[in-house]
Amino acid sequence: TRNEAAAFLICWGAALTSYLPSSSVIFPVGFELAERILYLPSIAFSIIVVLASGKLVGVCKGRTTRAFVICMSVILLSCYAQRTVTRIGDWKSELHLYNASRSDLPQNAKAHFNYANELSKLGKYEDALEEIKIAR
């Protein structure tokens, strides 16, 4: 229907518009900022998945096809939920966040520098100095 198409287009527009600032396409942003604002396109993408799944279930004929669509939607949802639960632990503190970031992005000097900064706040100056050497 027209309302479903409008909702779908609005969600795609919201997803793309909110993704642009965090993608470094327009201007470079750090990974910290990018991760902090990526929840907006994630919400829009989730709504798109729900709308598409609902539409697929509505047009599918037969129980087997509907069950397949529902199972695939549940699997997709489970994968995203697992990644979210895994990533939540990285946000416990700045130290955890930068440690995970330097593991995920070993070539990123800023991740190493930020981790070194957090280590120095804890008084671990030798470890911080090693991280700064890696960052260079």
Side-chain angles (χ1 to χ4, degrees):
T1 67
R2 205 173 229 185
N3 289 340
E4 290 172 340
F8 195 72
L9 286 174
I10 289 170
C11 286
W12 268 114
L16 293 175
T17 303
S18 59
Y19 180 72
L20 281 176
S22 61
S23 66
S24 295
V25 171
I26 300 172
F27 51 86
V29 294
F31 64 90
E32 311 95 1
L33 177 64
E35 278 205 7
R36 289 185 173 131
I37 61 174
L38 274 176
Y39 67 91
L40 290 172
S42 297
I43 291 170
F45 179 72
S46 298
I47 294 171
I48 290 168
V49 169
V50 168
L51 290 173
S53 297
K55 189 71 172 173
L56 280 174
V57 167
V59 287
C60 289
K61 294 185 167 86
R63 295 176 113 183
T64 307
T65 310
R66 284 185 184 174
F68 176 74
V69 170
I70 291 170
C71 285
M72 294 310 293
S73 299
V74 168
I75 288 170
L76 181 65
L77 177 65
S78 299
C79 290
Y80 279 113
Q82 184 273 332
R83 179 64 181 144
T84 300
V85 169
T86 302
R87 193 70 173 141
I88 286 172
D90 296 338
W91 285 87
K92 287 181 185 176
S93 67
E94 296 287 319
L95 183 69
H96 283 90
L97 177 63
Y98 295 130
N99 186 30
S101 297
R102 75 184 179 100
S103 298
D104 293 341
L105 305 164
Q107 305 301 330
N108 189 321
K110 189 172 183 180
H112 288 283
F113 179 76
N114 288 336
Y115 184 65
N117 189 31
E118 292 302 315
L119 288 172
S120 69
K121 288 178 186 177
L122 296 173
K124 299 179 179 181
Y125 301 113
E126 283 114 29
D127 294 337
L129 187 59
E130 288 299 317
E131 282 299 318
I132 288 175
K133 288 178 184 176
I134 294 170
R136 289 180 172 225

